[in-house]
Coordinates of all heavy atoms in Angstrom, one line a residue:
M6 N 0.8 -1.2 0.0 CA 0.0 0.1 0.0 C 0.9 1.3 0.0 O 1.9 1.3 0.7 CB -0.8 0.0 1.2 CG -1.6 1.3 1.5 SD -2.7 1.2 2.9 CE -3.9 0.2 2.2
T7 N 0.5 2.2 -0.8 CA 1.3 3.4 -0.9 C 0.4 4.6 -0.4 O -0.8 4.6 -0.8 CB 1.7 3.8 -2.4 OG1 2.5 2.7 -2.8 CG2 2.6 5.0 -2.4
I8 N 1.0 5.5 0.4 CA 0.2 6.6 0.9 C 0.9 7.9 0.5 O 2.2 8.1 0.7 CB 0.1 6.6 2.5 CG1 -0.6 5.3 2.9 CG2 -0.7 7.8 3.0 CD1 -0.6 5.0 4.3
D9 N 0.2 8.8 -0.2 CA 0.8 10.1 -0.5 C 0.9 11.1 0.6 O -0.1 11.4 1.2 CB 0.0 10.7 -1.6 CG 0.6 11.9 -2.3 OD1 1.6 12.5 -1.7 OD2 0.1 12.3 -3.3
L10 N 2.1 11.4 0.9 CA 2.3 12.3 2.1 C 2.6 13.8 1.7 O 2.8 14.7 2.5 CB 3.6 11.9 3.0 CG 3.3 10.5 3.6 CD1 4.6 10.1 4.3 CD2 2.1 10.4 4.6
R11 N 2.7 14.0 0.3 CA 3.0 15.4 -0.1 C 2.0 16.4 0.5 O 0.9 16.2 0.4 CB 3.0 15.5 -1.6 CG 4.1 14.7 -2.2 CD 4.0 14.7 -3.7 NE 2.9 13.9 -4.0 CZ 2.5 13.5 -5.2 NH1 3.2 13.8 -6.3 NH2 1.4 12.7 -5.4
G12 N 2.6 17.5 1.1 CA 1.8 18.5 1.7 C 1.2 18.1 3.1 O 0.6 18.9 3.7
R13 N 1.5 16.9 3.5 CA 1.0 16.4 4.9 C 2.0 16.2 5.9 O 1.8 16.1 7.1 CB 0.2 15.1 4.7 CG -1.0 15.4 3.7 CD -1.8 14.1 3.5 NE -2.3 13.5 4.7 CZ -2.5 12.2 4.8 NH1 -2.4 11.4 3.8 NH2 -3.0 11.7 5.9
S14 N 3.3 16.0 5.4 CA 4.4 15.7 6.3 C 5.7 16.2 5.6 O 5.9 15.9 4.5 CB 4.4 14.2 6.6 OG 5.6 13.9 7.3
P15 N 6.6 16.8 6.5 CA 7.9 17.2 5.9 C 8.9 16.1 5.8 O 10.0 16.1 5.1 CB 8.4 18.3 6.8 CG 7.7 17.8 8.2 CD 6.4 17.3 7.8
M16 N 8.6 14.9 6.4 CA 9.5 13.8 6.5 C 9.7 13.1 5.1 O 10.7 12.5 4.9 CB 9.2 12.9 7.6 CG 8.0 12.0 7.4 SD 7.8 10.9 8.8 CE 6.1 10.5 8.6
A17 N 8.7 13.0 4.3 CA 8.8 12.2 3.1 C 7.6 12.6 2.2 O 6.6 13.1 2.6 CB 8.8 10.7 3.3
D18 N 7.7 12.2 0.9 CA 6.6 12.5 0.0 C 5.6 11.2 -0.1 O 4.5 11.5 -0.5 CB 7.2 12.7 -1.5 CG 8.0 13.9 -1.6 OD1 7.7 14.9 -0.8 OD2 8.8 14.1 -2.4
H19 N 6.2 10.1 0.2 CA 5.3 8.8 0.0 C 5.8 7.8 1.2 O 6.9 7.8 1.7 CB 5.5 8.1 -1.3 CG 5.1 8.9 -2.4 ND1 3.8 9.1 -2.8 CD2 5.9 9.7 -3.3 CE1 3.8 9.9 -3.8 NE2 5.0 10.3 -4.2
M20 N 4.8 7.0 1.6 CA 5.0 6.0 2.6 C 4.4 4.7 1.9 O 3.4 4.7 1.3 CB 4.2 6.3 3.8 CG 4.3 5.1 4.9 SD 3.4 5.5 6.3 CE 4.0 7.0 6.9
V21 N 5.2 3.7 2.0 CA 4.8 2.4 1.5 C 4.8 1.4 2.8 O 5.6 1.4 3.6 CB 5.9 1.8 0.5 CG1 5.5 0.3 0.1 CG2 6.0 2.7 -0.7
I22 N 3.6 0.7 2.9 CA 3.5 -0.2 4.0 C 3.3 -1.6 3.4 O 2.4 -1.8 2.5 CB 2.2 0.2 4.8 CG1 2.4 1.6 5.3 CG2 2.0 -0.8 5.9 CD1 1.2 2.2 6.1
A23 N 4.1 -2.5 3.8 CA 4.0 -3.9 3.3 C 4.1 -4.9 4.5 O 4.5 -4.5 5.5 CB 5.2 -4.1 2.4
S24 N 3.8 -6.2 4.2 CA 3.9 -7.2 5.2 C 4.7 -8.4 4.8 O 4.6 -8.7 3.5 CB 2.5 -7.6 5.6 OG 1.7 -6.6 6.2
G25 N 5.2 -9.1 5.7 CA 5.9 -10.3 5.5 C 5.2 -11.3 6.5 O 4.6 -10.9 7.4
R26 N 5.3 -12.6 6.2 CA 4.6 -13.6 7.0 C 5.3 -13.9 8.3 O 4.7 -14.5 9.2 CB 4.4 -14.8 6.1 CG 3.5 -14.6 5.1 CD 3.1 -15.8 4.3 NE 2.3 -15.6 3.1 CZ 2.2 -16.2 2.0 NH1 2.9 -17.3 2.0 NH2 1.4 -15.9 1.1
S27 N 6.6 -13.6 8.3 CA 7.4 -14.0 9.6 C 8.5 -13.0 9.7 O 8.8 -12.2 8.8 CB 8.0 -15.4 9.3 OG 8.9 -15.3 8.2
A28 N 9.2 -13.0 10.8 CA 10.3 -12.1 11.0 C 11.4 -12.3 10.0 O 12.0 -11.3 9.5 CB 10.9 -12.3 12.5
R29 N 11.6 -13.5 9.7 CA 12.7 -13.9 8.7 C 12.3 -13.3 7.3 O 13.2 -12.7 6.6 CB 12.8 -15.3 8.6 CG 14.0 -15.7 7.7 CD 14.1 -17.2 7.7 NE 15.4 -17.6 7.1 CZ 16.1 -18.6 7.3 NH1 15.7 -19.5 8.3 NH2 17.2 -18.9 6.8
Q30 N 11.1 -13.4 6.9 CA 10.6 -12.9 5.6 C 10.6 -11.3 5.6 O 11.0 -10.7 4.7 CB 9.2 -13.4 5.3 CG 8.8 -13.0 3.8 CD 7.5 -13.6 3.4 OE1 6.5 -13.5 4.2 NE2 7.4 -14.2 2.3
V31 N 10.2 -10.8 6.7 CA 10.3 -9.3 6.8 C 11.7 -8.8 6.7 O 11.9 -7.8 5.9 CB 9.7 -8.8 8.2 CG1 10.0 -7.4 8.5 CG2 8.2 -9.0 8.3
G32 N 12.6 -9.4 7.4 CA 14.0 -9.1 7.2 C 14.5 -9.3 5.7 O 15.3 -8.4 5.2
A33 N 14.1 -10.4 5.1 CA 14.6 -10.7 3.7 C 14.0 -9.6 2.7 O 14.7 -9.2 1.8 CB 14.2 -12.1 3.3
I34 N 12.7 -9.2 2.9 CA 12.0 -8.2 2.1 C 12.8 -7.0 2.2 O 13.2 -6.3 1.2 CB 10.6 -8.1 2.4 CG1 9.8 -9.3 2.0 CG2 10.0 -6.8 1.7 CD1 8.5 -9.4 2.6
A35 N 13.1 -6.5 3.4 CA 13.8 -5.3 3.7 C 15.2 -5.2 3.1 O 15.6 -4.3 2.5 CB 13.8 -5.0 5.2
E36 N 15.9 -6.3 3.3 CA 17.3 -6.4 2.7 C 17.2 -6.4 1.2 O 18.0 -5.6 0.6 CB 17.9 -7.7 3.2 CG 19.4 -7.8 2.9 CD 20.0 -9.1 3.5 OE1 19.8 -9.3 4.8 OE2 20.7 -9.8 2.8
H37 N 16.3 -7.1 0.5 CA 16.4 -7.1 -0.9 C 15.9 -5.7 -1.4 O 16.5 -5.2 -2.4 CB 15.3 -8.1 -1.3 CG 15.1 -8.2 -2.8 ND1 16.1 -8.8 -3.6 CD2 14.1 -7.8 -3.7 CE1 15.7 -8.7 -5.0 NE2 14.6 -8.1 -4.9
L38 N 14.9 -5.1 -0.8 CA 14.5 -3.8 -1.2 C 15.6 -2.7 -1.1 O 15.8 -2.0 -1.9 CB 13.3 -3.3 -0.4 CG 12.7 -2.0 -0.7 CD1 12.3 -2.0 -2.2 CD2 11.5 -1.7 0.2
A39 N 16.4 -2.8 0.1 CA 17.5 -1.9 0.3 C 18.5 -2.1 -0.9 O 19.1 -1.0 -1.4 CB 18.1 -2.1 1.6
E40 N 18.8 -3.3 -1.2 CA 19.8 -3.5 -2.3 C 19.3 -3.0 -3.6 O 20.1 -2.4 -4.4 CB 20.0 -5.1 -2.4 CG 20.8 -5.7 -1.3 CD 20.8 -7.2 -1.4 OE1 20.5 -7.8 -2.4 OE2 21.3 -7.8 -0.4
R41 N 18.0 -3.2 -3.9 CA 17.5 -2.7 -5.3 C 17.4 -1.2 -5.1 O 17.7 -0.5 -6.2 CB 15.9 -3.1 -5.3 CG 15.8 -4.6 -5.5 CD 16.2 -5.2 -6.9 NE 15.6 -4.5 -8.0 CZ 14.5 -4.9 -8.7 NH1 14.0 -6.0 -8.3 NH2 14.0 -4.3 -9.6
I42 N 17.2 -0.5 -4.1 CA 17.2 0.9 -4.0 C 18.6 1.5 -4.2 O 18.9 2.4 -4.9 CB 16.7 1.4 -2.6 CG1 15.2 1.2 -2.6 CG2 17.0 2.9 -2.3 CD1 14.6 1.3 -1.1
K43 N 19.6 0.8 -3.6 CA 21.0 1.2 -3.8 C 21.4 1.1 -5.3 O 22.0 1.9 -5.8 CB 22.0 0.3 -2.9 CG 23.4 0.8 -3.0 CD 24.3 0.1 -2.0 CE 25.7 0.7 -2.2 NZ 26.6 0.1 -1.2
L44 N 21.0 0.0 -5.9 CA 21.3 -0.2 -7.3 C 20.7 0.8 -8.2 O 21.2 1.4 -9.1 CB 20.9 -1.6 -7.8 CG 21.7 -2.8 -7.4 CD1 21.1 -4.2 -7.8 CD2 23.1 -2.7 -8.1
A45 N 19.4 1.2 -7.8 CA 18.7 2.2 -8.7 C 19.1 3.6 -8.6 O 19.1 4.4 -9.4 CB 17.2 2.0 -8.4
T46 N 19.5 3.8 -7.2 CA 19.7 5.4 -6.9 C 21.2 5.6 -6.7 O 21.6 6.8 -6.6 CB 19.0 5.7 -5.7 OG1 19.4 5.0 -4.6 CG2 17.5 5.6 -5.9
G47 N 21.9 4.6 -6.3 CA 23.4 4.8 -5.9 C 23.5 5.2 -4.5 O 24.6 5.5 -4.0
R48 N 22.4 5.4 -3.7 CA 22.5 5.7 -2.4 C 22.0 4.6 -1.5 O 21.1 3.8 -1.9 CB 21.5 6.9 -2.1 CG 21.8 8.1 -2.9 CD 20.9 9.3 -2.5 NE 19.6 8.9 -2.1 CZ 18.5 9.6 -2.5 NH1 18.6 10.7 -3.2 NH2 17.3 9.2 -2.1
T49 N 22.6 4.4 -0.4 CA 22.3 3.4 0.6 C 21.2 3.9 1.5 O 21.4 5.0 2.3 CB 23.5 2.9 1.4 OG1 24.5 2.5 0.5 CG2 23.1 1.8 2.4
P50 N 20.0 3.3 1.5 CA 19.0 3.8 2.4 C 19.2 3.4 3.9 O 20.0 2.5 4.2 CB 17.7 3.0 2.0 CG 18.2 1.8 1.4 CD 19.5 2.2 0.8
R51 N 18.7 4.3 4.8 CA 18.8 4.0 6.3 C 17.8 2.8 6.6 O 16.7 3.0 6.1 CB 18.7 5.2 7.1 CG 19.7 6.3 6.8 CD 19.5 7.6 7.5 NE 18.4 8.3 7.0 CZ 18.2 9.0 5.9 NH1 19.3 9.0 5.0 NH2 17.2 9.6 5.5
I52 N 18.2 2.0 7.4 CA 17.3 0.9 7.8 C 17.3 0.8 9.4 O 18.5 0.8 10.0 CB 17.8 -0.5 7.2 CG1 17.8 -0.4 5.7 CG2 16.9 -1.6 7.7 CD1 18.4 -1.6 5.1
E53 N 16.2 0.7 9.9 CA 16.0 0.4 11.4 C 15.1 -0.8 11.6 O 14.2 -1.0 10.9 CB 15.2 1.6 12.0 CG 16.0 2.9 11.9 CD 17.3 2.9 12.8 OE1 17.2 2.3 13.8 OE2 18.1 3.7 12.5
G54 N 15.5 -1.6 12.6 CA 14.6 -2.8 13.0 C 14.8 -4.0 12.3 O 14.1 -5.0 12.5
K55 N 15.8 -4.2 11.4 CA 16.0 -5.4 10.7 C 16.4 -6.6 11.5 O 15.9 -7.7 11.3 CB 17.1 -5.1 9.5 CG 17.1 -6.2 8.6 CD 18.1 -6.0 7.5 CE 18.9 -7.1 7.1 NZ 20.2 -7.1 7.0
D56 N 17.1 -6.3 12.5 CA 17.6 -7.4 13.4 C 16.4 -8.1 14.2 O 16.4 -9.3 14.3 CB 18.6 -7.1 14.4 CG 19.9 -6.6 13.8 OD1 20.1 -7.1 12.6 OD2 20.7 -5.9 14.3
A57 N 15.5 -7.3 14.6 CA 14.2 -7.9 15.3 C 13.2 -8.5 14.2 O 12.7 -9.5 14.6 CB 13.5 -6.8 16.1
G58 N 13.1 -7.9 13.2 CA 12.2 -8.4 12.0 C 10.7 -8.3 12.3 O 9.9 -8.8 11.5
D59 N 10.3 -7.5 13.3 CA 8.9 -7.3 13.6 C 8.4 -6.1 12.7 O 7.3 -6.2 12.1 CB 8.6 -7.0 15.0 CG 8.7 -8.2 15.9 OD1 8.5 -9.3 15.4 OD2 9.0 -8.1 17.1
W60 N 9.2 -5.1 12.6 CA 8.9 -3.9 11.9 C 10.1 -3.3 11.4 O 11.0 -2.9 12.2 CB 8.1 -2.9 12.8 CG 7.8 -1.5 12.3 CD1 8.1 -1.0 11.0 CD2 7.1 -0.5 13.1 NE1 7.6 0.2 10.9 CE2 7.0 0.6 12.2 CE3 6.7 -0.4 14.2 CZ2 6.5 1.8 12.5 CZ3 6.0 0.8 14.6 CH2 6.0 1.8 13.7
V61 N 10.4 -3.3 10.1 CA 11.6 -2.7 9.5 C 11.1 -1.4 8.9 O 10.3 -1.4 8.1 CB 12.3 -3.7 8.6 CG1 13.5 -3.1 8.0 CG2 12.6 -5.0 9.3
L62 N 11.9 -0.4 9.1 CA 11.7 0.9 8.4 C 12.9 1.2 7.5 O 14.0 1.1 7.9 CB 11.6 2.0 9.6 CG 11.4 3.4 9.0 CD1 10.3 4.2 9.8 CD2 12.6 4.2 8.9
I63 N 12.6 1.5 6.3 CA 13.6 1.8 5.3 C 13.4 3.3 4.9 O 12.2 3.6 4.4 CB 13.5 0.9 4.0 CG1 13.7 -0.5 4.5 CG2 14.6 1.3 3.0 CD1 13.3 -1.5 3.5
D64 N 14.4 4.1 5.0 CA 14.2 5.6 4.8 C 15.1 5.9 3.6 O 16.3 5.8 3.6 CB 14.6 6.4 6.0 CG 14.4 7.8 5.8 OD1 14.1 8.3 4.7 OD2 14.7 8.6 6.9
T65 N 14.4 6.4 2.5 CA 15.2 6.7 1.4 C 15.1 8.3 1.1 O 15.4 8.8 0.1 CB 14.6 6.1 0.0 OG1 13.3 6.6 -0.2 CG2 14.5 4.6 0.3
D66 N 14.7 9.0 2.1 CA 14.5 10.4 2.1 C 13.2 10.8 1.5 O 12.3 11.4 2.3 CB 15.6 11.2 1.4 CG 16.9 11.1 2.3 OD1 16.9 11.1 3.5 OD2 18.0 11.1 1.6
D67 N 12.9 10.5 0.3 CA 11.7 10.8 -0.4 C 10.5 9.9 -0.1 O 9.3 10.2 -0.1 CB 11.9 11.0 -1.9 CG 12.8 12.1 -2.3 OD1 12.8 13.0 -1.5 OD2 13.3 12.0 -3.4
V68 N 11.0 8.6 0.2 CA 10.0 7.5 0.4 C 10.4 6.8 1.8 O 11.5 6.5 1.9 CB 10.0 6.6 -0.7 CG1 9.0 5.4 -0.4 CG2 9.6 7.2 -2.1
I69 N 9.4 6.5 2.6 CA 9.6 5.8 3.7 C 8.9 4.4 3.5 O 7.7 4.4 3.3 CB 9.2 6.5 5.0 CG1 10.0 7.7 5.2 CG2 9.2 5.6 6.3 CD1 9.6 8.5 6.4
V70 N 9.6 3.3 3.8 CA 8.9 2.0 3.6 C 8.9 1.4 5.0 O 9.9 1.3 5.7 CB 9.7 1.1 2.6 CG1 9.1 -0.3 2.5 CG2 9.9 1.8 1.3
H71 N 7.7 0.8 5.3 CA 7.5 0.1 6.6 C 7.2 -1.4 6.1 O 6.3 -1.7 5.3 CB 6.3 0.6 7.3 CG 6.4 2.0 7.8 ND1 7.1 2.3 9.0 CD2 6.1 3.3 7.2 CE1 7.1 3.6 9.1 NE2 6.5 4.1 8.1
V72 N 8.0 -2.4 6.6 CA 7.6 -3.8 6.4 C 7.4 -4.4 7.8 O 8.3 -4.3 8.7 CB 8.8 -4.5 5.7 CG1 8.5 -6.0 5.4 CG2 9.3 -3.7 4.4
F73 N 6.2 -4.9 7.9 CA 5.7 -5.5 9.2 C 5.4 -6.9 9.1 O 5.1 -7.5 8.1 CB 4.4 -4.9 9.5 CG 4.3 -3.4 9.8 CD1 4.0 -2.4 8.9 CD2 4.6 -3.0 11.1 CE1 3.9 -1.1 9.2 CE2 4.6 -1.6 11.5 CZ 4.2 -0.7 10.6
R74 N 5.4 -7.6 10.3 CA 4.7 -8.9 10.4 C 3.4 -8.5 10.6 O 3.0 -7.4 11.1 CB 5.3 -9.6 11.7 CG 6.5 -10.4 11.6 CD 6.9 -11.2 12.7 NE 6.8 -10.6 14.0 CZ 5.7 -10.9 14.9 NH1 4.8 -11.7 14.6 NH2 5.7 -10.2 16.1
P75 N 2.4 -9.3 10.1 CA 1.0 -9.0 10.1 C 0.4 -8.6 11.5 O -0.3 -7.6 11.6 CB 0.2 -10.3 9.7 CG 1.3 -11.0 8.9 CD 2.6 -10.7 9.5
E76 N 0.8 -9.2 12.6 CA 0.3 -8.8 13.9 C 0.7 -7.4 14.4 O 0.0 -6.7 15.0 CB 0.8 -9.8 15.0 CG 0.5 -11.3 14.7 CD 1.5 -11.9 13.8 OE1 2.7 -11.6 13.8 OE2 1.0 -12.8 13.0
V77 N 2.0 -7.1 14.0 CA 2.5 -5.8 14.3 C 1.9 -4.7 13.4 O 1.5 -3.7 13.9 CB 4.1 -5.7 14.2 CG1 4.6 -4.4 14.4 CG2 4.7 -6.8 15.0
R78 N 1.6 -5.0 12.2 CA 0.9 -4.1 11.3 C -0.5 -3.8 11.8 O -1.0 -2.7 11.9 CB 0.9 -4.7 9.9 CG 0.2 -3.7 8.8 CD 0.4 -4.2 7.4 NE -0.3 -3.4 6.5 CZ -0.2 -3.5 5.2 NH1 0.4 -4.5 4.7 NH2 -0.9 -2.7 4.5
D79 N -1.2 -4.9 12.2 CA -2.6 -4.7 12.8 C -2.5 -3.9 14.0 O -3.4 -3.0 14.3 CB -3.2 -6.0 13.1 CG -3.6 -6.8 11.9 OD1 -3.7 -6.2 10.7 OD2 -3.9 -8.1 12.0
F80 N -1.5 -4.0 14.9 CA -1.5 -3.3 16.1 C -1.3 -1.8 16.0 O -1.9 -1.0 16.6 CB -0.3 -3.9 17.0 CG -0.1 -3.2 18.3 CD1 -1.0 -3.5 19.4 CD2 0.9 -2.2 18.6 CE1 -0.9 -2.8 20.6 CE2 1.0 -1.5 19.7 CZ 0.1 -1.8 20.7
Y81 N -0.3 -1.4 15.1 CA 0.0 0.0 14.9 C -0.9 0.7 13.9 O -1.0 1.9 14.0 CB 1.5 0.1 14.4 CG 2.4 -0.1 15.6 CD1 3.1 -1.3 15.7 CD2 2.6 0.9 16.5 CE1 3.9 -1.5 16.7 CE2 3.5 0.7 17.6 CZ 4.1 -0.5 17.7 OH 5.0 -0.8 18.7
Q82 N -1.5 0.1 12.9 CA -2.5 0.5 12.0 C -2.0 1.9 11.4 O -2.7 2.9 11.4 CB -3.8 0.7 12.6 CG -4.4 -0.7 13.1 CD -5.8 -0.5 13.6 OE1 -6.5 0.5 13.5 NE2 -6.2 -1.5 14.3
L83 N -0.8 2.0 10.8 CA -0.3 3.2 10.2 C -1.2 3.7 9.1 O -1.4 4.9 8.8 CB 1.1 3.0 9.6 CG 2.2 2.8 10.7 CD1 3.5 2.8 10.0 CD2 2.2 3.9 11.7
E84 N -1.8 2.8 8.3 CA -2.8 3.2 7.3 C -3.9 4.1 7.9 O -4.2 5.1 7.3 CB -3.5 1.9 6.6 CG -2.5 1.0 6.0 CD -2.2 -0.2 6.8 OE1 -2.0 0.0 8.0 OE2 -1.9 -1.2 6.3
K85 N -4.4 3.7 8.9 CA -5.5 4.5 9.6 C -5.0 5.9 10.1 O -5.7 6.8 9.9 CB -6.0 3.7 10.9 CG -7.1 4.3 11.5 CD -7.7 3.4 12.6 CE -8.9 4.1 13.3 NZ -9.4 3.2 14.4
M86 N -3.7 5.9 10.4 CA -3.2 7.2 10.9 C -2.9 8.2 9.8 O -3.1 9.4 9.9 CB -1.8 6.9 11.7 CG -1.2 8.2 12.2 SD 0.4 7.9 13.1 CE 0.1 6.4 14.0
W87 N -2.5 7.6 8.6 CA -2.0 8.6 7.6 C -2.9 8.6 6.3 O -2.8 9.5 5.6 CB -0.6 8.0 7.1 CG 0.4 8.3 8.1 CD1 1.0 7.6 8.9 CD2 1.1 9.6 8.2 NE1 1.9 8.2 9.7 CE2 2.0 9.5 9.3 CE3 1.0 10.9 7.6 CZ2 2.8 10.6 9.7 CZ3 1.7 11.9 8.1 CH2 2.6 11.7 9.0
M88 N -3.7 7.7 6.1 CA -4.7 7.8 4.9 C -5.8 8.7 5.2 O -6.3 8.7 6.3 CB -5.1 6.4 4.6 CG -4.2 5.5 4.0 SD -4.9 3.9 3.5 CE -5.5 4.3 1.9
P89 N -6.2 9.5 4.2 CA -7.5 10.2 4.3 C -8.6 9.3 4.5 O -8.7 8.1 4.1 CB -7.7 10.9 2.9 CG -6.3 10.9 2.3 CD -5.6 9.6 2.9
S90 N -9.6 9.7 5.4 CA -10.6 8.7 5.8 C -11.4 8.2 4.7 O -11.9 7.0 4.7 CB -11.5 9.5 6.8 OG -12.2 10.6 6.2
D91 N -11.7 9.0 3.6 CA -12.5 8.4 2.5 C -11.7 7.3 1.8 O -12.3 6.3 1.4 CB -12.9 9.5 1.6 CG -11.7 10.2 0.9 OD1 -10.7 10.3 1.5 OD2 -11.8 10.7 -0.3
T92 N -10.5 7.5 1.6 CA -9.6 6.4 1.0 C -9.6 5.2 1.8 O -9.6 4.1 1.3 CB -8.2 6.9 0.7 OG1 -8.3 8.1 -0.1 CG2 -7.4 5.9 0.0
L93 N -9.4 5.4 3.1 CA -9.4 4.3 4.0 C -10.6 3.4 4.0 O -10.6 2.3 4.0 CB -9.1 4.7 5.5 CG -8.9 3.7 6.6 CD1 -7.8 2.8 6.2 CD2 -8.7 4.4 7.9
N94 N -11.8 4.1 4.0 CA -13.1 3.4 3.9 C -13.1 2.6 2.6 O -13.6 1.4 2.6 CB -14.2 4.4 4.1 CG -14.3 5.0 5.4 OD1 -14.0 4.4 6.4 ND2 -14.9 6.2 5.5
R95 N -12.7 3.1 1.5 CA -12.7 2.4 0.2 C -11.8 1.2 0.4 O -12.2 0.1 -0.2 CB -12.3 3.2 -0.8 CG -13.4 4.2 -1.3 CD -13.0 4.8 -2.8 NE -11.8 5.5 -2.8 CZ -11.5 6.7 -2.5 NH1 -12.5 7.5 -2.2 NH2 -10.3 7.2 -2.7
V96 N -10.7 1.3 0.9 CA -9.7 0.1 1.1 C -10.3 -1.0 2.0 O -10.2 -2.0 1.7 CB -8.3 0.6 1.8 CG1 -7.5 -0.5 2.1 CG2 -7.6 1.5 0.7
R97 N -11.0 -0.5 3.0 CA -11.6 -1.5 4.0 C -12.7 -2.2 3.3 O -12.9 -3.4 3.4 CB -12.1 -0.7 5.2 CG -11.1 -0.4 6.2 CD -11.7 0.3 7.4 NE -10.8 0.7 8.4 CZ -10.9 1.7 9.3 NH1 -12.1 2.4 9.3 NH2 -10.0 2.0 10.0
E98 N -13.5 -1.5 2.5 CA -14.7 -2.2 1.7 C -14.1 -3.1 0.8 O -14.6 -4.2 0.7 CB -15.5 -1.2 1.0 CG -16.3 -0.2 2.0 CD -17.4 -1.1 2.7 OE1 -17.9 -1.9 2.1 OE2 -17.6 -0.8 3.9
A99 N -13.0 -2.7 0.0 CA -12.5 -3.6 -0.9 C -11.8 -5.0 -0.3 O -11.8 -6.0 -0.9 CB -11.5 -2.9 -1.8
S100 N -11.4 -4.9 1.0 CA -10.7 -6.0 1.6 C -11.6 -6.9 2.4 O -11.3 -8.0 2.8 CB -9.6 -5.5 2.5 OG -10.1 -4.8 3.5
R101 N -12.9 -6.4 2.5 CA -13.9 -7.3 3.2 C -14.3 -8.6 2.4 O -14.5 -8.4 1.2 CB -15.2 -6.5 3.6 CG -14.9 -5.6 4.7 CD -16.2 -5.0 5.2 NE -15.9 -4.1 6.2 CZ -16.6 -3.0 6.4 NH1 -17.7 -2.6 5.7 NH2 -16.4 -2.2 7.4
P102 N -14.3 -9.8 3.1 CA -14.7 -10.9 2.3 C -16.2 -10.9 1.9 O -17.0 -10.3 2.6 CB -14.5 -12.1 3.3 CG -14.3 -11.5 4.6 CD -14.0 -10.1 4.4
V103 N -16.4 -11.4 0.7 CA -17.9 -11.4 0.3 C -18.5 -12.7 0.8 O -18.0 -13.8 0.9 CB -17.9 -11.5 -1.3 CG1 -19.3 -11.7 -1.8 CG2 -17.2 -10.5 -1.9
T104 N -19.7 -12.4 1.5 CA -20.5 -13.5 2.1 C -21.7 -13.9 1.3 O -22.1 -13.2 0.5 CB -20.9 -13.1 3.6 OG1 -21.7 -11.9 3.5 CG2 -19.7 -13.0 4.4

């Protein structure tokens, strides 16, 4: 999920929120993404939390990427904090199972 932060926060223009199924997968996703960012931009992004693997933050200056284990993502609910409410409601509706 990508959230546009332009005009809403001085820290970055975009936020990306992703999940891995386990601490090991979260760490692997973050490591691979950091390598791809370095290859594409020539800059090494700052990484926090990779050793624990519950929540890894990758800061590329313009984009901040959060990679969570599902339980941690549910607990912090960054989407709820940063998304406009009308967009959040559409995302929730789209993700509800059809009965």
Side-chain angles (χ1 to χ4, degrees):
M6 166 175 293
T7 303
I8 301 171
D9 188 348
L10 297 177
R11 291 174 292 186
R13 298 175 60 203
S14 173
M16 70 179 159
D18 293 334
H19 297 279
M20 179 184 299
V21 177
I22 302 174
S24 296
R26 294 183 183 155
S27 66
R29 185 176 193 152
Q30 190 177 44
V31 167
I34 290 168
E36 188 173 312
H37 182 73
L38 182 56
E40 289 171 13
R41 295 286 304 263
I42 290 167
K43 185 174 181 178
L44 284 173
T46 66
R48 297 185 327 219
T49 302
R51 292 174 298 283
I52 301 174
E53 297 289 333
K55 191 174 140 229
D56 293 337
D59 289 331
W60 175 2
V61 179
L62 182 138
I63 303 168
D64 184 356
T65 69
D66 292 327
D67 296 335
V68 178
I69 295 181
V70 180
H71 299 273
V72 185
F73 291 101
R74 279 190 314 105
E76 306 82 35
V77 179
R78 183 174 178 172
D79 287 343
F80 181 79
Y81 286 102
Q82 297 184 17
L83 291 184
E84 297 94 331
K85 187 175 180 181
M86 183 184 312
W87 286 100
M88 287 182 89
S90 60
D91 61 329
T92 304
L93 183 59
N94 289 335
R95 285 194 306 270
V96 169
R97 284 181 179 155
E98 288 296 319
S100 66
R101 285 192 182 146
V103 176
T104 56

